[in-house]
Amino acid sequence: MVSLIKSTKPPTPNVTKEEMQALNNIAKDKTIMVLPADKGRATVILNTKEYDEKVRNMLSDTDTYTLLKKNPTSSYKKKLITVITRLLKEKKITVKQKHYLYPTSDITPRIYCTPKIHKMNNPLRPIVDYTGSIMYNLSRSLADILVPLVGNSIHHVTNSLEFVNDIKDIKLQPNETLVSYDVVSLFTKTPVNKSLKIIEERLHCDKQLSERTWLHINDIMELLQLVLTTTYFSFRGDIYQQNSGMAMGSPCSPIVANLFMEWLENEAITTAHTDIKPRMWKRYVDDIITIIPKDATQPLLQHLNKIDDDINFTCEEMSLTDNSIPFLDTLILVDGEGNINTKVFRKATHTNQYLDFNSHHPLQHKLSVIRTLLHRCNTIIKNNPDKQNETEMIHTLLKQCNYPTWTIRKKMREKSKIT
């Protein structure tokens, strides 16, 4: 095997020596930070001092973060070992599961931030890298147990295709409008204790729970509380504790946030006054699109912000220019008769960069890029002229990423045979 590896020639470099030298120089330059944008494929270069100041300013919010005097990893590690040892003795986990959950390293979670270039002043989104930390495998295991609880709501959508199918027959009345609502900093604001109570109630109603785990509900809640309250991380040598909410980066955080949002939306809709009650409410995590009376936008916003003291909503109304509003990667347009049409939506900061054909990736990966773009075009867009325009745009963008014409035509032919 070693001789085979040694005899294998590496692929021909697809960047020049000058380009490689430039990349190496950038990597060695400690005065700048090279970061991915929060959304899209843009690359952002920030002055390191400016980046550190922004992060420090965020971490100075004492309501959300506390600077710790010492690293709590060892104490959390002992707690976890004690619990999983007991669960093994009680025969609620197997020896294999015990080895998987047992913390073998002392890696401290690390925070990094991605710039939101699509928002004013480019605020940072904090993400905690839990990979390899003492709670990471436990969080993944709990996510597997909890994920079947998510999505059992008529308001939940899993992707753009499902959303487009849900709204295809809806027609707006003259007194109605489309409004989107969004939660500010959902992960750091989600109330943990309330979320734990919501999840415990859902687990008691789950008839298939015993098929997924030998753990009892009280065991799951004990482990989940341990994960959700172990929200510490390092930045530039300092250790911080997150005081509220959950950290973005933990595998079970999106699931807990989703379950809390299901509870919140049910409370909001059932308690809304008839004059502001949405006729349609569709949600993807914390992104919500509604059909409501035209004069109900602000009253509904005020109502939503009263449901929970920790959660604050913002709203975006339908554009008066072309009666459009974005949701996920879909642009919703309403004509004069109230009929709904949908197109593919790209943010103004979208770079139109896809996997370059000259990159050293397998051909099937590159062909899957074409297939994905064409699938999105054919499922989101129902109007044939709009489909044609999107197909032409896809062709242009892929050509810019060095895709040969034959690859695009190949996938287009395959798509036409399927449809």
Side-chain angles (χ1 to χ4, degrees):
M1 179 62 73
V2 174
S3 61
L4 178 62
I5 295 174
K6 287 183 177 180
S7 63
T8 302
K9 293 183 179 180
T12 304
N14 54 12
V15 293
T16 65
K17 290 183 179 180
E18 291 76 13
E19 289 171 332
M20 183 59 70
Q21 183 61 51
L23 291 173
N24 289 333
N25 291 339
I26 291 174
K28 293 176 183 177
D29 190 345
K30 302 303 180 183
T31 66
I32 60 174
M33 298 284 296
V34 182
L35 304 164
D38 182 55
K39 293 180 180 177
R41 292 191 47 135
T43 299
V44 182
I45 298 180
L46 278 178
N47 180 282
T48 301
K49 184 178 179 181
E50 179 186 352
Y51 173 80
D52 286 0
E53 287 177 353
K54 279 193 170 186
V55 177
R56 293 287 187 190
N57 183 59
M58 178 184 66
L59 297 177
S60 67
D61 176 9
T62 53
D63 290 334
T64 307
Y65 303 103
T66 297
L67 179 63
L68 301 181
K69 294 182 179 179
K70 66 176 185 177
N71 193 324
T73 299
S74 59
S75 61
Y76 283 131
K77 188 175 181 177
K78 289 178 183 178
K79 286 182 181 180
L80 178 57
I81 293 173
T82 300
V83 174
I84 62 177
T85 301
R86 172 176 58 81
L87 292 174
L88 180 64
K89 289 181 179 179
E90 295 173 353
K91 297 183 178 180
K92 294 177 180 177
I93 60 173
T94 64
V95 174
K96 184 178 180 181
Q97 288 172 323
K98 185 249 187 181
H99 289 321
Y100 178 73
L101 298 176
Y102 197 93
T104 56
S105 69
D106 293 319
I107 295 176
T108 301
R110 304 161 296 280
I111 193 172
Y112 66 95
C113 300
T114 54
K116 301 181 183 180
I117 60 174
H118 59 289
K119 292 192 176 183
M120 186 72 68
N121 298 323
N122 308 134
L124 299 178
R125 182 188 298 278
I127 302 174
V128 178
D129 181 8
Y130 276 90
T131 308
S133 65
I134 57 174
M135 294 292 175
Y136 184 75
N137 286 349
L138 175 58
S139 184
R140 287 184 61 181
S141 297
L142 289 172
D144 291 337
I145 295 172
L146 297 177
V147 71
L149 303 179
V150 177
N152 301 316
S153 165
I154 60 172
H155 307 295
H156 177 83
V157 293
T158 56
N159 52 46
S160 300
L161 174 58
E162 181 182 342
F163 171 67
V164 170
N165 287 333
D166 285 347
I167 67 169
K168 64 181 180 180
D169 297 322
I170 293 179
K171 185 174 181 177
L172 264 64
Q173 301 302 314
N175 67 325
E176 292 180 325
T177 186
L178 284 162
V179 180
S180 67
Y181 293 91
D182 179 51
V183 178
V184 178
S185 303
L186 173 64
F187 282 78
T188 56
K189 296 300 181 182
T190 298
V192 171
N193 290 335
K194 185 175 291 186
S195 297
L196 288 171
K197 291 179 181 178
I198 293 167
I199 291 171
E200 186 172 8
E201 291 175 1
R202 297 288 291 273
L203 287 172
H204 279 292
C205 299
D206 185 2
K207 296 180 180 180
Q208 282 78 44
L209 179 62
S210 60
E211 298 175 8
R212 300 196 300 276
T213 180
W214 293 345
L215 295 172
H216 296 169
I217 292 176
N218 61 311
D219 299 320
I220 297 172
M221 298 312 301
E222 179 183 11
L223 293 170
L224 186 58
Q225 184 169 29
L226 186 59
V227 167
L228 295 183
T229 54
T230 310
T231 51
Y232 72 104
F233 56 84
S234 66
F235 179 73
R236 301 292 192 237
D238 292 324
I239 308 295
Y240 292 85
Q241 177 77 39
Q242 185 174 309
N243 303 325
S244 61
M246 305 164 298
M248 182 178 289
S250 176
C252 66
S253 290
I255 297 169
V256 175
N258 247 313
L259 291 170
F260 172 76
M261 286 299 298
E262 286 186 14
W263 169 85
L264 186 145
E265 72 186 2
N266 183 65
E267 288 290 308
I269 294 170
T270 55
T271 60
H273 190 274
T274 306
D275 294 341
I276 63 171
K277 193 179 290 289
R279 179 161 71 93
M280 183 198 76
W281 174 294
K282 295 294 179 182
R283 177 184 57 82
Y284 180 83
V285 190
D286 62 337
D287 291 329
I288 300 160
I289 189 76
T290 64
I291 296 178
I292 58 175
K294 288 182 177 179
D295 58 356
T297 302
Q298 291 304 313
L300 180 57
L301 178 63
Q302 294 169 9
H303 173 68
L304 292 174
N305 285 331
K306 291 178 181 178
I307 302 298
D308 188 278
D309 293 337
D310 297 307
I311 301 298
N312 184 45
F313 283 84
T314 59
C315 70
E316 179 183 353
E317 299 185 51
M318 191 165 62
S319 169
L320 297 178
T321 305
D322 57 358
N323 287 340
S324 68
I325 190 168
F327 181 67
L328 302 182
D329 58 353
T330 302
L331 184 66
I332 312 165
L333 301 103
V334 181
D335 65 18
E337 302 298 321
N339 299 305
I340 290 179
N341 187 26
T342 51
K343 293 182 179 181
V344 173
F345 174 71
R346 296 177 177 85
K347 281 186 169 64
T349 53
H350 193 277
T351 61
N352 293 324
Q353 291 295 311
Y354 301 101
L355 180 64
D356 196 287
F357 195 83
N358 292 330
S359 64
H360 297 303
H361 285 75
L363 177 61
Q364 58 265 34
H365 290 184
K366 301 165 188 175
L367 295 178
S368 70
V369 172
I370 307 173
R371 182 170 60 250
T372 299
L373 293 175
L374 291 175
H375 176 73
R376 184 174 67 169
C377 170
N378 285 282
T379 53
I380 289 180
I381 304 173
K382 304 302 180 184
N383 184 290
N384 286 330
D386 291 338
K387 276 188 182 182
Q388 181 62 34
N389 291 337
E390 177 66 16
T391 302
E392 291 175 0
M393 176 174 284
I394 291 172
H395 191 281
T396 300
L397 297 178
L398 290 175
K399 291 292 287 183
Q400 292 174 0
C401 296
N402 299 308
Y403 282 72
T405 301
W406 70 264
T407 60
I408 305 171
R409 288 177 177 172
K410 171 181 171 65
K411 287 302 168 183
M412 285 183 174
R413 285 196 299 270
E414 290 177 3
K415 195 67 183 176
S416 62
K417 289 179 182 179
I418 295 174
T419 55

